[in-house]
Amino acid sequence: MKIAVLISGRGSNLQALIDAASQAEAGPRWPAGIVLGISNVAGAQGLQRAEAAGIPTTVINHKDFEDRETFDAAMTAAIEAAADGNGAELVCLAGFMRLLSTPFIDHWRDRLINIHPSLLPAYKGLDVHQRVLDAGEDFSGCSVHFVRPEMDTGPIILQAKVPVQPGDDADALAARVLEQEHVIYPEAVRLIADGRVSVDGELAQIDGKGKN
Ligand code: GRF
């Protein structure tokens, strides 16, 4: 499956997808290839990661567009022109820090996924780890989900849970969660690329079985 990855910054989840492909060279078959990395921020660290892996990249700066819809349309055009015009079949948001317009989300419906650093539906939005700590939670985690117009909603494909430990600050908790993000994002892509994920009544099912 040909995938496009949208980033705005560090790109460690992009790196996890790159690593999953390269580690699989000697091991089990890896069913996905990244055909394009898009950043809305020039100089984002994730762009260097993609370039180092030989992945085509492009910067599409939202500031160059008059509105969200036009910016999003330019991204769709780039994604559909990738892989010599064959286009990507799955779009992965990986720390992409722009809200997407409903036309873009509808166009890519059930072909657009996101990773979020909380156990959705809890703690949507930004500044998740500090809010989890402030609430005195015992656990946090991360979620991979299909994207719907309302921010951080949509059928949940995979989640991983981590403990909140005494003395955690937001950075310590973020690091523990991020480690699991790097496990479940490639795993979710693998499941989708292998055709094992379906959406039924706004619930994601793996091998026809609902989990959420
Ligand atoms: C991750 O925590 C991800 O869950 C969130 O943004 C962060 C991106 O990190 N959506 P990176 O750019 O993949 O390192």
Side-chain angles (χ1 to χ4, degrees), residues 9-13 94-95 115-117 178 181:
R10 179 178 58 182
S12 70
N13 279 289
I115 180 126
H116 180 76
L178 191 64
E181 294 183 39

